[in-house]
Amino acid sequence: SLIRKPLKPSPPSQYSPLSSLLMAEAVHEAKIPPGVFNLVNGPGASLGAALAAHPLVDMVSVTGSTEVGASVAKAAAPSIKRVSQELGGKSAYIVFEDVDLEKVVAGGVRGCMRNSGQSCNAPTRMLVAMPVYEEAVAIAARVADGLLVGDPLDPKVFLGPVAGKKQWETVQGYIEAGLAGGARLVAGGPGRPAGLDRGFFVRPTVFADVRNDMRIAQEEVFGPVLCIIPFKDEEDAIAIANDSAFGLSGYVSSADVERARRVALAMRTGMVHLNGVSTDLTAPFGGYKKSGNGREWGRFGIDEYLEVKAVMGYRPAE
């Protein structure tokens, strides 16, 4: 064990994701040799810091908030180990006026609300061309109001609860901040959905007339809250999209393929989806700026865990 002093245990529900435990069971049943994979449960503040700081750990990959990523990097710095970070996001979803607005806007709303908004690459800022702005707002409000919230085991339900009380309170705080900041509430709002008087359920919330300098446009909510922002032209859309501390993902929808490609190349994000194309699991997943410096998936994901060695004179001179 790298940790000589036992950690004080916490209730498993606070820090033991079921998926990790199932992964460990699968590895065991597959008879992968002991030591190739190890699962250590514990609170991140103590366990994560111990692993990041220990000299026998050569590399740390962290998925979490920007604050957590920074703390891990600080803990790892004295031992000069590599740290790969996959952190937060505030991704822009750019909608030009030449698209099938119903389809594109509805897809953006569902993309934002999926997993109860708890996705780092969620398209939480919808940038819409001014000529179709109000129509897009109306579509987004209608789609959000039609999403069913409830028991996630019910196949008709689209949104389950957020992770816990703390996250529910955080999301509620951002919704209140949006109202206080002057954004126009067009769907959802504070409190639980109708008929759900207990549990950490959040109403699918859409704000229109959002300025990009508002808290709800600049900070990661990590909940089902969508900001809709108008833009004047292509240059304005790019400027708004890039005016963010984050740079994880981006989304561009336009019938003009060359314009979509041009905008994608100008966005300072690690990933861009054109016209609703889904994620390619062989492509590198990761971001720029405060969204982290690491990559997952495909060859780039493997490269994160490799060291490069040069051997001079390995082959005999000819």
Side-chain angles (χ1 to χ4, degrees):
S1 173
L2 298 180
I3 303 170
R4 301 182 186 280
K5 183 179 179 181
L7 297 171
K8 181 179 179 181
S10 300
S13 61
Q14 291 186 16
Y15 62 80
S16 300
L18 179 59
S19 59
S20 297
L21 298 176
L22 292 174
M23 175 66 178
E25 290 181 7
V27 168
H28 178 71
E29 291 178 7
K31 301 188 185 307
I32 292 177
V36 174
F37 172 88
N38 296 293
L39 174 66
V40 184
N41 279 319
S46 51
L47 179 59
L51 289 171
H54 202 283
L56 292 182
V57 175
D58 295 323
M59 183 267 189
V60 175
S61 174
V62 56
T63 299
S65 68
T66 299
E67 292 74 20
V68 168
S71 67
V72 169
K74 288 177 182 177
S79 57
I80 319 295
K81 63 170 56 70
R82 184 181 301 171
V83 178
S84 175
Q85 302 165 328
E86 197 279 285
L87 309 177
K90 197 70 184 178
S91 301
Y93 187 95
I94 299 176
V95 180
F96 285 97
E97 66 277 7
D98 57 357
V99 300
D100 180 340
L101 207 61
E102 181 75 34
K103 177 181 178 181
V104 170
V105 171
V109 172
R110 294 190 181 96
C112 174
M113 306 297 175
R114 188 172 289 112
N115 199 36
S116 299
Q118 299 169 120
S119 301
C120 54
N121 61 338
T124 51
R125 290 185 298 152
M126 183 178 288
L127 281 50
V128 181
M130 284 184 176
V132 294
Y133 177 74
E134 287 299 339
E135 184 181 356
V137 169
I139 294 170
R142 172 168 46 79
V143 172
D145 283 337
L147 297 177
L148 186 61
V149 184
D151 183 354
L153 297 179
D154 184 339
K156 297 189 296 295
V157 166
F158 191 86
L159 291 91
V162 293
K165 180 180 180 182
K166 181 179 178 182
Q167 186 59 25
W168 187 87
E169 292 173 345
T170 296
V171 175
Q172 295 300 311
Y174 275 112
I175 293 173
E176 295 290 353
L179 294 170
R184 173 164 51 117
L185 181 68
V186 297
R192 294 179 174 85
L196 296 171
D197 56 359
R198 61 188 297 269
F200 303 118
F201 298 96
V202 178
R203 299 171 68 189
T205 298
V206 178
F207 284 106
D209 303 345
V210 175
R211 299 189 317 274
N212 201 53
D213 61 354
M214 291 180 176
R215 277 189 65 201
I216 55 171
Q218 287 292 320
E219 299 180 14
E220 186 178 36
V221 177
F222 218 62
V225 179
L226 175 65
C227 301
I228 307 183
I229 304 170
F231 68 83
K232 294 178 292 187
D233 52 27
E234 180 181 319
E235 184 179 355
D236 190 36
I238 294 168
I240 295 171
N242 287 339
D243 182 18
S244 173
F246 298 101
L248 184 55
S249 193
Y251 305 79
V252 184
S253 291
S254 174
D256 183 341
V257 176
E258 289 305 317
R259 174 167 64 177
R261 291 171 176 169
R262 190 167 59 243
V263 172
L265 291 175
M267 295 175 74
R268 285 195 38 78
T269 61
M271 304 173 287
V272 183
H273 299 254
L274 300 183
N275 292 323
V277 172
S278 60
T279 299
D280 182 345
L281 295 179
T282 65
F285 182 103
Y288 296 175
K289 300 185 278 188
K290 288 190 176 181
S291 290
N293 57 13
R295 291 296 181 271
E296 300 174 355
W297 304 351
R299 179 178 64 82
F300 291 91
I302 298 297
D303 286 346
E304 292 283 355
Y305 297 88
L306 302 179
E307 290 282 15
V308 177
K309 176 181 288 188
V311 180
M312 314 306 166
Y314 186 83
R315 292 180 179 177
E318 295 181 359

